[in-house]
């Protein structure tokens, strides 16, 4: 075999090998359709929990629409023979977040220590919603949100005063009530809020719940938040690898 013929044969072999590699590269993504790295190889982070006491809370009462109860050690939630009472309450969220990480909330609940003097049926349904604006603990009333601002509707009942109600918590006796506020906290954190202001009202028996002025620190309102701290660096690396697999 001549040198020229041998060269042409080797060149054809090399081109054939290159073509096989190119075809294989095109076929691999089709061989593993819709492969999702995060589903089969999840990046796991430890579950953490914080517990924060309320920083402001007060009863607001329709019978005394101009009265402030911000210094009382308890607040009533529900209706009696004289009128309706609700509670407004504020909690801090995350204050130690950094530029390199953010909290991913998995659950959140508010705990209130409550009791009732109702004889007979003590069942009540408690509803919680996020207030649209903050309130002043020393000035909030049935009519006023702060010393200079009114609620859009008395009792913070206007559509502009608060958001949607969460599903109710049903209680039937004196106890520590747990109100699920997971969705509300997740929304607040996604907006970058460092605190959350809540409105609580009920249907059924009226209960008196401890406020932050309660002498026993274990009975004061608190919020419990379970979360994961996800690193932005890890997210970027994870998304880059996911892109390379899916492309």
């Amino acid at each position: 075999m001549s040198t020229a013929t041998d060269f042409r044969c080797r060149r054809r072999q090399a081109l054939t090998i290159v073509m096989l590699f190119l075809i294989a590269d095109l076929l691999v993504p089709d061989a593993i359709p819709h492969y999702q790295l995060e589903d089969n190889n999840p990046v796991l982070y430890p579950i953490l929990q914080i517990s924060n006491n309320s920083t402001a809370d007060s009863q607001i009462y329709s019978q005394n629409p101009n009265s402030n109860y911000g210094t009382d050690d308890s607040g009533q939630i529900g209706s009696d023979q004289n009128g309706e009472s609700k509670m407004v309450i504020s909690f801090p969220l995350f204050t130690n977040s950094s530029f390199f990480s953010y909290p991913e909330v998995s659950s959140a609940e508010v705990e209130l220590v409550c009791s009732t003097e109702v004889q007979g049926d003590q069942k009540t349904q408690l509803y919680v919603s996020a207030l649209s604006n903050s309130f002043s603990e020393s000035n909030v009333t049935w009519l006023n949100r702060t010393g200079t601002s009114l609620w859009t509707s008395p009792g913070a009942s206007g559509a502009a005063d608060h958001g949607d109600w969460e599903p109710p918590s049903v209680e039937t006796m004196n106890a520590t009530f747990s109100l699920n506020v997971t969705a509300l906290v997740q929304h607040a954190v996604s907006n970058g809020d460092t605190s959350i202001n809540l409105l609580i009202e009920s249907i059924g028996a009226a209960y008196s719940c401890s406020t932050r002025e309660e002498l026993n620190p274990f009975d004061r309102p608190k919020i419990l938040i379970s979360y994961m701290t996800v690193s932005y660096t890890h997210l970027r690396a994870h998304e880059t690898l996911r892109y390379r697999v899916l492309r």
Side-chain angles (χ1 to χ4, degrees):
M1 180 182 295
S2 67
T3 302
T5 302
D6 182 61
F7 174 77
R8 285 194 297 272
C9 182
R10 290 179 181 274
R11 187 173 63 179
R12 282 196 298 271
Q13 290 175 344
L15 290 173
T16 300
I17 292 173
V18 170
M19 289 298 297
L20 288 174
F21 273 113
L22 291 173
I23 293 171
D25 188 55
L26 292 172
L27 292 178
V28 165
D30 294 331
I32 314 177
H34 305 297
Y35 179 78
Q36 296 293 328
L37 179 65
E38 65 271 24
D39 293 336
N40 297 319
N41 300 280
V43 179
L44 302 179
Y45 301 92
I47 299 295
L48 307 173
Q49 188 177 75
I50 58 171
S51 174
N52 290 332
N53 289 113
S54 60
T55 52
D57 48 40
S58 179
Q59 167 188 336
I60 57 175
Y61 189 29
S62 64
Q63 177 67 12
N64 299 314
N66 293 303
S67 296
N68 172 259
Y69 300 90
T71 58
D72 289 4
D73 60 6
S74 66
Q76 184 167 288
I77 304 173
S79 299
D80 56 24
Q81 65 273 21
N82 296 315
E84 182 183 6
S85 295
K86 303 178 184 181
M87 180 177 282
V88 291
I89 190 165
S90 179
F91 292 99
L93 296 176
F94 298 95
T95 57
N96 60 344
S97 297
S98 70
F99 177 78
F100 300 102
S101 65
Y102 74 96
E104 184 174 295
V105 175
S106 57
S107 67
E109 61 182 25
V110 168
E111 290 190 350
L112 298 175
V113 177
C114 304
S115 62
T116 185
E117 296 180 355
V118 171
Q119 301 298 316
D121 187 5
Q122 298 182 341
K123 180 179 178 179
T124 188
Q125 298 182 76
L126 289 99
Y127 294 82
V128 59
S129 175
L131 287 169
S132 303
N133 295 287
S134 61
F135 63 91
S136 168
E137 184 183 48
S138 59
N139 293 289
V140 66
T141 67
W142 186 260
L143 300 177
N144 287 70
R145 181 172 60 83
T146 68
T148 57
S149 299
L150 298 172
W151 299 111
T152 61
S153 183
S157 59
D161 291 319
H162 65 85
D164 295 334
W165 296 105
E166 292 299 289
S169 172
V170 179
E171 307 292 345
T172 58
M173 64 181 71
N174 299 344
T176 298
F177 297 167
S178 295
L179 309 180
N180 188 337
V181 293
T182 302
L184 302 181
V185 171
Q186 288 173 337
H187 180 72
V189 170
S190 69
N191 286 339
D193 298 336
T194 57
S195 64
I196 189 168
N197 302 291
L198 303 172
L199 174 67
I200 304 172
E201 63 179 55
S202 71
I203 298 175
Y207 276 78
S208 180
C209 302
S210 298
T211 66
R212 72 190 190 99
E213 284 76 21
E214 164 64 42
L215 292 178
N216 183 350
F218 297 103
D219 289 349
R220 295 169 185 165
K222 66 174 67 72
I223 189 168
L224 304 173
I225 305 174
S226 297
Y227 67 100
M228 297 178 292
T229 300
V230 183
S231 167
Y232 287 133
T233 302
H234 289 171
L235 284 177
R236 286 197 296 270
H238 183 56
E239 286 302 313
T240 300
L241 182 57
R242 176 175 177 270
Y243 169 76
R244 289 175 178 172
V245 171
L246 293 176
R247 72 185 178 92

